[in-house]
Amino acid sequence: MYLCSQALYYQVYGLTLRTNQPLPILIPTSTTATADVKVNIVECNLSPLSHQDKEEDKYRSGWYTQQKADGIYHCLSLGCSSETLDVEITPTGKQIWITWANVPLEEVTAILLGCIIGTALRLQGKLCLHSSVIKVDNCAIAIIGAKGAGKSTTAAALAKRGYPILADDIAVLSDCGDSFLVKPGYPRLRLWKSAVNQLYGDEKGLPRVFSQTDKHFVELNQNTASTWSFHSQPLPLAAIYVLGERQQSLVAPSIETIIPQLGLMQLITHRYPQSLKLQRDMQRREFALLGRLAAAVPMRHLHRGDSLAELSEICDVILEDVAELKGVFLGAS
């Protein structure tokens, strides 16, 4: 379809991306390794005619699939009369085509680094959870939950204490037999204005993730000796914390152990992106991996209230639990 006129390389979520345009959110790499995903990005002129005849299904809003000679393509269309974004992902997840009009390249990149890359990763057989991941000591802890549950906010509270962020929005897991590694994302954290004001300071000067929302990017320093830092190397996953619904009447946050059978259901619920329906053989393989993950990694339900003021207590509860887990592991060894 579209050929790369200029080869640029980036590394994110354990993948090497090759693109034909600079991606403003990512930091280029000098690697000459074979690309895991080729991303072809083309800006086009808006064509009003492509959005007028909805009866003939010429324009779709959201995800859909398209059968082609080489398999099922996963496609995304977003837009209105003044801006559009169209995406095609090959059946193997190894090539992505993006065309857009009147959308800032920063926002195109933000979408790419979310549901588009998440779809490509799962089509490649990678295990992906809707999660924020934090480095504690020499391991990773993942915080999973539904959209708006507070994953990034909880991660930010830990980042403020000096614990580096490994990934935000997507946890990409690699099966190592008796353990799982989490791959690093990119050095930014997505936070709502209220969380920025509570934990970081004034949101002025922080770029918005999308112009129509009040969510902002917080830059993470790649010097891991400083606060609000990013950890760029894979880490073994030590625990998974599930954020459920907030409980206004709760006096103090607490943690409850989740047995593997119920943990598996939580992992199935929080795959990313949840909307992606894999073919049956890939579903079976993914369910088997999720079952092994639930059995191998301790899972906890984090009960908390509905106030940003208790974030410090939530951090205390998580860190105390991680310390106990580490003590049990060392005792068993």
Side-chain angles (χ1 to χ4, degrees), residues 152-182:
S152 298
T153 301
T154 306
L158 288 162
K160 186 179 180 180
R161 291 193 178 192
Y163 293 94
I165 301 294
L166 187 66
D168 186 39
D169 208 29
I170 310 176
V172 180
L173 308 181
S174 177
D175 183 10
C176 299
D178 57 352
S179 63
F180 287 81
L181 282 180
V182 187

Side-chain angles (χ1 to χ4, degrees), residues 13-15 133 135 138-140 166 172-174 176 180-185 230-237:
Y13 297 125
L15 296 175
V133 187
K135 177 181 183 288
N138 293 316
C139 61
L166 187 66
V172 180
L173 308 181
S174 177
C176 299
F180 287 81
L181 282 180
V182 187
K183 301 297 182 67
F230 174 69
H231 186 76
S232 60
Q233 299 299 319
L235 287 173
L237 181 61

Side-chain angles (χ1 to χ4, degrees), residues 99 130 207 227 237 296:
T99 59
H130 199 188
T227 57
L237 181 61

Side-chain angles (χ1 to χ4, degrees), residues 54-74:
K54 292 186 180 180
E55 286 80 11
E56 294 184 11
D57 201 26
K58 289 186 177 180
Y59 179 69
R60 301 171 188 263
S61 180
W63 285 97
Y64 62 98
T65 57
Q66 188 174 11
Q67 181 70 55
K68 295 189 178 184
D70 56 342
I72 298 174
Y73 281 61
H74 291 265

Side-chain angles (χ1 to χ4, degrees), residues 16 27 44 96 115 146 171 227 250 271 290 325:
T16 297
I27 298 171
C44 60
I96 299 170
C115 59
T227 57
L250 200 65
R271 290 170 295 172
L290 290 170
L325 288 172

